[in-house]
Amino acid sequence: NVLRAHKMGNQRRVRADEIENTIKKLVAIIQSFQEKIISSVDKMPYGIRYMAMCLRKDLKEKFPESSDEEIMKAVGNLLYYRYMNPVITAPDSFEIVDLEAGKTMNNIQRRNLGSIAKILQHAASYKIFDSDAKYLASLNAFIKSAYIKFMEFFATASAIEEIEDHFNMDEFSDVTMLNKPMIFISPNEICSTHKLLLDHQNEITEGDNDPLTEVLSSLGPVPEEENEQMLGGEKSTEFGLVLTNKWELNMSDENNTQALFSKTKYLVVDLLRIQRGESLTSVLHTGANKQQQELYRAIHSRRMAEQQGQEDEEEKNAKLSVFDPNDTTIDKLKQHIIKNLQILETHKMVTATEDYQELLTSIARDICNQRKYRQRRKQDLKKMAATMDRMNKKKKYYGEAVAHYQEYVKACVSKLSKKQRVGNKKKTAKYTAQKLYDKKVLVSIDDVHQSTFRAVTIEFSTTDEVGVFEVSGKLGGLNLEKINLIFEDLLQLQYEGVSNFSTLL
């Protein structure tokens, strides 16, 4: 008994040493995960960081008595638990890891990632283990230090510039865009967004004169479920939508003051490149010499040449154009500017007595931001290059996956076809329409009442072509037209979530 007890004691010590070593390895791996997360703060999408910033501000405003630590825990729940945790537990679902076509992660890998995600979640929310769990309780010291790091990370991630500064946008951005933005959205997302806006309309709009109030009023209520069913499987299919300003008018429309202000800036810049003076007013009322007239004609001719061959495109985007072909001379350009300034002054956007300083200040601001715009374009080019590289890798991966899938489908269909054929004879299956209706294979038959389905026979037969099935029918001794069902088409419909489809017999 003494020897047995000694042996069991040694086994427990060995097992304890193994558990302790395993925990040390786990801590080292979790630390590397946390370091990667913290160091990637600048790579996080702007959208999720902006949501974190808004959440932080709103919580502080709604619960002023709460400590910064409590508020940061809520921000951490968004950033880690909702955003990062799903990627750690299932990286293959988010295409974080590259797997060969046809291969998936095994259960051991998923279990290990689940353990890592669990400890990181405890660290993010500062949830320590009870002393009853002896070995897990040894992780509490690490959880405390990791929690401090996470709090600093959440504070940094939720401190981000405003949307206008990040995207360099102002009230004139819409009228200066050459290409309108496009979004990809599904009908489901449109309905969800519509419902969300209606539910919180009073909180996000500023009375009846708010543009969003007019948009929601014109849209009406959210479509009912029976109307949504008309879309069938298309509810989750994404469509590309070009965003257009509901209140956008032509650049020539005098009532569109913002567009007119932006266009006038371009015209004034063109004028000041050629003729200068003590003030804008003096330049507008001072005649141009012969050299200045010739320089403007050369610029005008060059721009007219650039527009040749693009007339159709210009007609489509006339409201975005800032170049007026009618300004053939510098005097006509000045007349155009003076007319625009008079209109802008009636809308109190510029003041003649102050020599249109508002317009000149806006031009100066644009010039000062040019360097910032160039830097942003360089960053965008780097991001685009990195995105192209990832897209090429993803294209290669999808190409391999499609090839593997096609081979798999061909093998399955070929095997299915062999089983269904006996010698050189076709295998046929016959059902009444009533039986198919009971099994929910058949939904309805045009011009045939459900009570007469027992008199309708539908026959499914294999064909010489792999994966193609012939369907025929009889109604009261009358043969119906035969059709072919392609197995791959059915799989595609199933993938798209289409539960019903129509066909003709």
Side-chain angles (χ1 to χ4, degrees):
N1 292 335
V2 173
L3 290 175
R4 184 180 299 171
H6 178 71
K7 185 176 181 181
M8 290 178 64
N10 288 337
Q11 288 177 346
R12 289 195 185 98
R13 282 194 293 273
V14 170
R15 189 164 178 263
D17 291 340
E18 289 178 353
I19 293 175
E20 186 176 348
N21 290 332
T22 301
I23 290 177
K24 287 181 179 179
K25 291 180 181 178
L26 179 62
V27 169
I29 294 171
I30 295 173
Q31 282 179 330
S32 66
F33 266 76
Q34 188 184 37
E35 289 171 2
K36 288 289 185 182
I37 290 173
I38 292 174
S39 63
S40 65
V41 63
D42 293 329
K43 297 180 181 179
M44 290 177 64
Y46 175 79
I48 189 69
R49 295 186 65 182
Y50 182 76
M51 289 173 61
M53 182 182 71
C54 292
L55 177 63
R56 181 180 179 181
K57 288 181 178 179
D58 291 345
L59 288 176
K60 190 67 177 176
E61 182 179 343
K62 191 169 185 178
F63 305 102
E65 71 283 355
S66 299
S67 64
D68 291 339
E69 183 178 359
E70 290 299 320
I71 290 175
M72 208 53 65
K73 280 186 179 181
V75 174
N77 183 70
L78 169 67
L79 290 176
Y80 176 75
Y81 186 69
R82 297 295 180 186
Y83 176 65
M84 296 180 179
N85 188 71
V87 180
I88 295 175
T89 55
D92 52 333
S93 300
F94 297 89
E95 300 177 0
I96 301 299
V97 292
D98 294 328
L99 298 173
E100 294 182 10
K103 289 189 177 181
T104 58
M105 294 176 59
N106 58 48
N107 292 333
I108 296 176
Q109 292 171 327
R110 296 190 185 280
R111 189 163 56 247
N112 291 340
L113 289 173
S115 300
I116 292 170
K118 181 180 179 180
I119 303 300
L120 285 172
Q121 173 60 21
H122 277 249
S125 58
Y126 196 40
K127 184 179 179 182
I128 61 175
F129 292 101
D130 297 332
S131 57
D132 296 339
K134 179 181 176 182
Y135 297 109
L136 292 177
S138 62
L139 290 168
N140 288 339
F142 165 74
I143 288 175
K144 184 176 181 179
S145 63
Y147 169 72
I148 296 172
K149 293 179 181 178
F150 264 138
M151 287 297 104
E152 295 175 354
F153 168 71
F154 297 148
T156 303
S158 59
I160 192 69
E161 58 191 356
E162 293 291 343
I163 290 178
E164 292 80 3
D165 297 328
H166 181 76
F167 293 105
N168 287 326
M169 296 181 68
D170 55 29
E171 64 270 29
F172 306 113
S173 297
D174 282 347
V175 297
T176 57
M177 281 184 179
L178 294 179
N179 297 314
K180 294 184 178 181
M182 174 181 281
I183 62 169
F184 291 89
I185 191 170
S186 67
N188 268 342
E189 291 170 333
I190 293 175
C191 291
S192 299
T193 304
H194 187 185
K195 184 177 185 304
L196 188 66
L197 291 174
L198 285 177
D199 292 344
H200 301 276
Q201 183 175 351
N202 294 333
E203 302 169 29
I204 60 178
T205 59
E206 299 177 356
D208 296 336
N209 295 327
D210 193 290
L212 187 56
T213 301
E214 184 178 338
V215 171
L216 292 175
S217 176
S218 62
L219 286 175
V222 179
E224 297 178 358
E225 290 187 6
E226 51 266 26
N227 292 332
E228 292 182 14
Q229 289 177 359
M230 295 173 62
L231 293 169
E234 302 295 331
K235 288 195 296 184
S236 57
T237 304
E238 289 188 344
F239 298 92
L241 298 178
V242 178
L243 302 184
T244 302
N245 186 355
K246 177 180 173 66
W247 298 272
E248 187 174 49
L249 303 174
N250 289 339
M251 292 289 283
S252 58
D253 195 326
E254 296 175 356
N255 294 321
N256 192 357
T257 54
Q258 289 187 349
L260 193 64
F261 186 90
S262 180
K263 180 174 181 178
T264 306
K265 285 198 301 181
Y266 283 97
L267 298 177
V268 170
V269 170
D270 279 348
L271 176 62
L272 296 180
R273 284 175 178 170
I274 299 169
Q275 186 177 352
R276 300 181 183 180
E278 295 180 357
S279 65
L280 178 57
T281 304
S282 65
V283 173
L284 289 171
H285 294 90
T286 302
N289 57 39
K290 186 177 180 181
Q291 183 180 2
Q292 292 168 342
Q293 292 278 11
E294 291 178 355
L295 179 59
Y296 179 76
R297 288 195 193 95
I299 294 174
H300 187 274
S301 300
R302 188 184 75 247
R303 289 185 177 177
M304 288 294 292
E306 289 174 354
Q307 287 195 349
Q308 288 182 357
Q310 300 179 358
E311 293 180 0
D312 293 340
E313 190 66 24
E314 288 297 328
E315 288 175 2
K316 294 177 184 177
N317 301 296
K319 54 189 169 189
L320 298 177
S321 176
V322 296
F323 169 64
D324 193 338
N326 296 322
D327 296 335
T328 53
T329 65
I330 198 168
D331 292 331
K332 288 186 177 180
L333 175 64
K334 289 180 181 180
Q335 292 172 8
H336 194 170
I337 293 173
I338 292 172
K339 179 183 176 183
N340 288 359
L341 290 174
Q342 289 172 348
I343 297 169
L344 293 173
E345 190 171 15
T346 59
H347 289 84
K348 298 181 180 180
M349 297 187 70
V350 296
T351 309
T353 55
E354 296 183 6
D355 196 31
Y356 311 109
Q357 188 59 46
E358 299 88 349
L359 187 77
L360 297 175
T361 300
S362 181
I363 293 173
R365 190 183 298 116
D366 290 342
I367 294 172
C368 292
N369 288 334
Q370 280 186 350
R371 181 173 175 272
K372 186 188 295 184
Y373 295 154
R374 291 193 189 101
Q375 289 177 342
R376 181 60 55 81
R377 282 197 293 269
K378 288 180 180 179
Q379 293 175 358
D380 290 342
L381 286 172
K382 288 182 180 179
K383 290 180 181 178
M384 288 183 66
T387 302
M388 283 296 297
D389 183 56
R390 290 195 298 270
M391 292 281 285
N392 289 330
K393 290 180 179 178
K394 188 177 290 188
K395 180 182 177 182
K396 181 181 177 182
Y397 167 77
Y398 281 137
E400 293 174 353
V402 168
H404 179 271
Y405 172 77
Q406 289 175 339
E407 290 297 324
Y408 174 74
V409 171
K410 286 180 180 178
C412 291
V413 172
S414 178
K415 189 176 181 180
L416 180 65
S417 179
K418 288 179 181 178
K419 286 184 178 180
Q420 291 180 337
R421 295 179 68 89
V422 181
N424 293 324
K425 294 182 179 180
K426 295 181 180 180
K427 189 172 181 180
T428 301
K430 294 182 180 180
Y431 301 93
T432 63
Q434 182 62 45
K435 188 171 184 179
L436 294 177
Y437 178 80
D438 294 339
K439 290 180 175 289
K440 298 182 179 180
V441 174
L442 180 67
V443 177
S444 64
I445 302 177
D446 291 343
D447 301 326
V448 178
H449 195 270
Q450 191 265 328
S451 59
T452 61
F453 277 7
R454 295 186 184 279
V456 180
T457 303
I458 298 178
E459 184 177 303
F460 298 87
S461 304
T462 58
T463 64
D464 295 333
E465 190 175 351
V466 175
V468 179
F469 300 88
E470 185 181 83
V471 182
S472 59
K474 288 184 178 182
L475 175 59
L478 177 65
N479 291 326
L480 304 178
E481 185 179 350
K482 297 179 181 179
I483 64 163
N484 288 335
L485 287 181
I486 302 174
F487 187 67
E488 287 192 16
D489 292 346
L490 298 177
L491 289 176
Q492 181 65 30
L493 292 172
Q494 184 186 40
Y495 172 77
E496 294 175 356
V498 178
S499 56
N500 302 327
F501 75 100
S502 301
T503 186
L504 297 174
L505 278 176

